Amino acid sequence: MPDLPVSPALPLDRAALESAALRALGRKGAAWAVEHLIPWVSDSDEDVFLAAAEALAEIGDPRAIAPMIEALKADPSATRVYALGNFGLAPPTGIEY
């Protein structure tokens, strides 16, 4: 994922800052951000990909479904299946994981 400049004055680490930003986009229902959120579901940090999945689910744009499935295929670990399935894919598809 892109390296974001983080001010040393901020008490958050990089993953916490990224997660907070992703969740904020979801709460705002920022449909314009879907294409920018999609790459984050493949992030190696658990909180980051969970935040991206939650944001995409909250926005509810069907464009995010196929990329989340691809992220699951690329990394079928239990954590990613749980996070992307329950928090990312279940809300827009109605399928329980």
Side-chain angles (χ1 to χ4, degrees):
M1 289 294 95
D3 252 348
L4 300 176
V6 177
S7 168
L10 291 175
L12 299 172
D13 64 21
R14 183 175 154 259
L17 184 61
E18 291 168 351
S19 298
L22 295 169
R23 287 187 173 100
L25 289 170
R27 283 192 300 276
K28 291 284 186 187
W32 60 265
V34 169
E35 64 189 52
H36 302 287
L37 289 167
I38 287 171
W40 294 94
V41 299
S42 298
D43 195 84
S44 60
D45 185 276
E46 183 177 328
D47 194 45
V48 173
F49 72 71
L50 176 58
E54 289 172 344
L56 288 165
E58 197 159 353
I59 293 168
D61 192 310
R63 292 178 294 168
I65 295 171
M68 282 194 275
I69 291 170
E70 290 304 313
L72 287 174
K73 288 179 184 176
D75 178 6
S77 66
T79 302
R80 194 167 300 262
V81 169
Y82 177 77
L84 291 181
N86 287 306
F87 299 104
L89 289 167
T93 63
I95 299 170
E96 293 188 27
Y97 290 80

